[in-house]
Every structure is written in C-alpha cells, then in structure tokens.
Amino acid sequence: MSALIETERLHLRLLRDDDADGAMMLELLNDPGFHQHIGDRGVHTLAQARQYLRAGALKSYAVNGFGMYAIERRTDGAWLGNAGLVRREGLPTADIGYALLQRHQGQGYALEAAQGVLRHAHDVLGIGAMCAIVAPGNARSVRVLEKLGFAAAGTTRLPGKEETLLLFSLPAP
C-alpha cells in the first residue's frame, strides 16, 4: 500500500489488519511509554490487537475519513508507531495523536510525523482548527505540540473517564 503522507524520512499509511498480525500494534500498545502516557488499552493478544484496529482506526477511516496512520521509516520500512487524527466525544474538534515505540523516540520522528499529519489535515481533508490532549507529566509530547504551534487551553476530562488531561488547541491556518 502506498504512503498517504510522505515526509523527509517517513511514510505514513493507513493502518491495516495485518499491522496486528505482525505484532506491531500489539508491541506499541504494550510499550511501557504507551502505558505511562496514553494508558493500558487491555490489548494483550494478536486477536485483541486486530479487534482494536478494527474498532479504532479502521472504523474511523469509514466514519470520519481519517484516523491513526502507521509510521514507517523510508530508508528501511521499519514500523515506528502511529500518528494521525482522532474524533473523540467531548472534544470540540479532531485531535492529533502520535505514539512511537520507545526505541524510536528522541529522534524527531514524532514531530516529523505530526507535521505531515497537520499538512494532510489542512491541505487534503480541509480540517481547520484542531486540538490535542496530553497526560500531565508528558513533557516530550507537550514540546512536540508547542513546536507544531499548539497552545495550552486548560484541562479536560473525556466523558466516562476520570483522568484530567492537558488540552491544547491549534487555530485554523
């Protein structure tokens, strides 16, 4: 499958069912950093990872026309994590999200992938204003959002959740 979004070092493509079969999503969802900053999704088997993809990103593509995308390094095709847009109940706009396997963090991939997602959102999807949510204490993610032009907009709590999250907003270009 060809890339949906291309950056200098990365290809972002639609997630597929076989992203679970290769254990990539399973590894990401159980990465210590994912658990710490995003949360334990209770996905511990390949079958659960497939169901997570189907109920999440694959459903979002059909319902919203966007979702999370696989991040692959252009030089070797390595699967690094995911980045994209999510439409969540309780948020005023689509929100940008990203998650990298720990071994690929600290190399600028999250920022580069998120920049590609923003360009795609504005230029292809026609999405203007966006938001982002971040767990308190996730300073790396806050820095990425600030570099992207997002500004702190207080805190929020998603419906049915107890965790208070930092809310960031990005006005329409």
Side-chain angles (χ1 to χ4, degrees):
M1 185 178 289
S2 64
L4 181 67
I5 300 167
E6 300 232 5
T7 70
E8 183 180 343
R9 300 180 297 162
L10 306 171
H11 292 291
L12 280 74
R13 62 163 174 79
L14 297 176
L15 285 161
R16 307 179 300 246
D17 230 23
D18 67 345
D19 285 313
D21 295 339
M24 280 93 56
M25 278 304 295
L26 184 61
E27 182 182 359
L28 179 65
L29 294 169
N30 288 284
D31 188 273
F34 193 97
H35 279 208
Q36 179 183 0
H37 297 297
I38 299 172
D40 184 349
R41 299 295 190 242
V43 176
H44 304 292
T45 68
L46 289 176
Q48 290 172 329
R50 271 193 291 291
Q51 181 54 33
Y52 181 86
L53 277 171
R54 290 176 186 148
L58 303 182
K59 181 178 177 183
S60 182
Y61 300 152
V63 172
N64 301 308
F66 56 77
M68 295 300 286
Y69 309 116
I71 303 171
E72 295 175 331
R73 192 168 38 218
R74 290 176 72 164
T75 56
D76 60 3
W79 200 93
L80 309 180
N82 64 17
L85 301 171
V86 180
R87 190 69 184 103
R88 293 181 216 269
E89 184 181 346
L91 294 179
T93 63
D95 74 285
I96 191 167
Y98 39 85
L100 294 174
L101 293 165
Q102 276 190 324
R103 66 181 171 271
H104 300 300
Q105 293 176 7
Q107 301 172 55
Y109 293 133
L111 178 62
E112 186 174 334
Q115 288 169 329
V117 168
L118 286 180
R119 269 193 315 276
H120 182 76
H122 295 314
D123 299 347
V124 177
L125 301 174
I127 295 173
M130 280 182 259
C131 65
I133 51 175
V134 179
N138 189 348
R140 277 183 134 163
S141 192
V142 168
R143 279 194 304 276
V144 168
L145 291 172
E146 289 171 343
K147 288 178 182 177
L148 293 168
F150 282 79
T155 60
T156 191
R157 189 176 289 174
L158 297 176
K161 306 289 183 180
E162 295 194 20
E163 181 183 23
T164 299
L165 300 167
L166 304 176
L167 178 66
F168 290 80
S169 64
L170 180 71

